[in-house]
Amino acid sequence: MHLATFDDDRLGVVLDDRIVDVSDVVDGTDDTRGTGGGGLGAGRMRRYIADPRPEEVAAAARARPGRPLAEVTLRAPVPDPRVIVAAPVNYLDHQQEMRESADVGALGFFLKAPSSLLGDGGTVRLPYGDRRFDHEAEIAVVIGRETRHVREADALDHVFGYTGLLDITMRGGEDRSIRKSFDTFTPCGPWIATPDELADPTDVAFSLTNNGELRQKASTSGLIWGVARFVAYVSTVLTLRPGDILSTGTPAGVSPLLDGDVVSMRADGIGTLTVRVDGSSTTPSPTRGHHSGPTPPPGDRGGAR
C-alpha cells in the first residue's frame, strides 16, 4: 500500500490519483501503549505503524470512493517521528564530489530536527542570503517496530516502509545537525510505500530534477552501507521505535538552490516528491560560516554534477 498523512492528521490510502480516508480504522487502535512506539499524543500514522491493520485498511480503501489527491494537502508521511537519523557520505560518487576522505563507516550518522519536516507540495524557505544551500535526494526508511541491536540479516524485517526525502543543507563550518535542521529543510514523501510495493527494496532507483533539469540519479544498490547495514548499525546506538525515520544518504549531483526553484524527486515504487524554494525573505547569516571540511565544487548555476 501507499499510506499518506493529509490535511489535519488524516491517514489515507493512495490509489492512483485519489486518496481514501481510513483514519477511523486507525482510531480503533490502542493509543496508550508507550512501548509500542505510538503512545499518548502520537499521530495517526505513528499509531498505525505501531499496530498495523493492513487487511482492515485495504478493505476500507476498496469500499470507499475517496477524494482526488489534488483536493487534499499532503503532510510529511510521519509528521511526528521521535528521531530523524541520516547517513553522511554513503555513495562513492558523492564522496568523490565532496572531496571527502571518510565515508559513512568512519562518520557514523547525524540527527536532523523533526521540526524540519515538510510535506509534498510545500515550500523550502531559505533563511540567509549570503550562504549556499544544496539539495540532497535520499531514500528513507520508516521503522516498523522496536529495534535494538538487530542483526544485519534481520534488519529489513524491522522496516515498515520506504519514502523519499530531501536533505536540504546549508554549506559551512557549523555542525551538520545545525546546517540541516532549519524549518522546512526535510521535505519527505509523498507517502510511505510498504515493502511489497517495491520490486527490490535493496535496489530502489530514484532521481532528482531542479526546474526540469536532471541533477541526481542513482539506486540504493549503490550505497556504501546498504539499508540493512545502516539500520543495524544505528540500532547499536539508539533504540529505534515505530515511525522513526532513517535516511540513507545522497549520491553525486548535489547542487545549489535558489529562490523560485522547483525541485522534484522521483523514486520507483514510491512516487514523486515536489517542493518549491523561496528565498525572498532571507537575512544575513548571524554566523560567519567558515567551512572546516569538504564542499562540492561551486561550478555553475547547477553546482556539482
Side-chain angles (χ1 to χ4, degrees):
M1 286 187 291
H2 288 138
L3 295 166
T5 298
F6 68 100
D7 292 349
D8 186 16
D9 197 39
R10 309 300 295 176
L11 190 143
V13 176
V14 177
L15 300 172
D16 297 323
D17 60 351
R18 62 191 178 97
I19 188 166
V20 182
D21 193 332
V22 293
S23 301
D24 58 314
V25 179
V26 180
D27 290 343
T29 63
D30 181 0
D31 151 281
T32 63
R33 298 169 306 153
T35 58
L40 290 171
R44 280 193 175 94
M45 183 66 83
R46 193 147 59 92
R47 298 201 322 265
Y48 177 74
I49 293 169
D51 186 15
R53 300 182 178 189
E55 294 82 7
E56 292 180 47
V57 165
R62 288 193 298 266
R64 301 173 183 181
R67 297 168 57 190
L69 270 170
E71 293 183 359
V72 306
T73 300
L74 291 174
R75 309 296 182 184
V78 184
D80 59 342
R82 297 180 324 118
V83 294
I84 302 173
V85 181
V89 195
N90 202 16
Y91 285 87
L92 181 59
D93 58 0
H94 180 54
Q95 181 183 21
Q96 293 169 343
E97 81 171 345
M98 294 289 289
R99 303 187 295 273
E100 172 69 75
S101 59
D103 63 23
V104 61
L107 298 171
F109 62 80
F110 60 91
L111 302 178
K112 296 194 69 169
S115 57
S116 66
L117 281 166
L118 180 70
D120 178 57
T123 300
V124 173
R125 302 193 182 278
L126 305 182
Y128 308 134
D130 53 358
R131 302 292 292 272
R132 171 173 165 167
F133 299 91
D134 288 345
H135 60 69
E136 299 186 5
E138 310 193 3
I139 298 295
V141 300
V142 179
I143 296 298
R145 55 193 172 104
E146 185 170 309
T147 303
R148 178 65 172 164
H149 288 294
V150 67
R151 296 188 309 152
E152 183 177 341
D154 301 323
L156 294 185
D157 295 335
H158 291 244
V159 173
F160 175 79
Y162 299 79
T163 190
L165 185 144
L166 297 178
D167 178 19
I168 308 300
T169 302
M170 179 177 75
R171 296 300 170 193
E174 300 90 347
D175 185 80
R176 279 187 173 93
S177 63
I178 293 174
R179 295 186 288 107
K180 295 169 175 280
S181 286
F182 290 93
D183 288 352
T184 74
F185 269 34
T186 311
C188 190
W191 37 70
I192 298 171
T194 52
D196 56 289
E197 292 284 349
L198 306 178
D200 180 359
T202 67
D203 185 12
V204 181
F206 63 100
S207 60
L208 179 143
T209 61
N210 190 357
N211 301 323
E213 177 188 353
L214 181 66
R215 296 287 178 80
Q216 295 184 274
K217 185 176 182 179
S219 166
T220 55
S221 64
L223 288 166
I224 296 172
W225 277 15
V227 172
R229 186 174 183 184
F230 188 55
V231 170
Y233 169 69
V234 175
S235 78
T236 67
V237 181
L238 308 177
T239 298
L240 298 169
R241 301 190 189 278
D244 288 351
I245 297 172
L246 275 62
S247 199
T248 58
T250 197
V254 298
S255 304
L257 295 174
L258 298 178
D259 179 39
D261 283 350
V262 178
V263 180
S264 291
M265 175 188 173
R266 183 188 182 281
D268 287 356
I270 299 174
T272 301
L273 169 66
T274 300
V275 295
R276 296 183 177 273
V277 178
D278 183 359
S280 63
S281 300
T282 58
T283 62
S285 170
T287 58
R288 300 182 66 181
H290 287 313
H291 189 61
S292 59
T295 193
D300 57 13
R301 167 63 172 77
R305 291 293 194 268

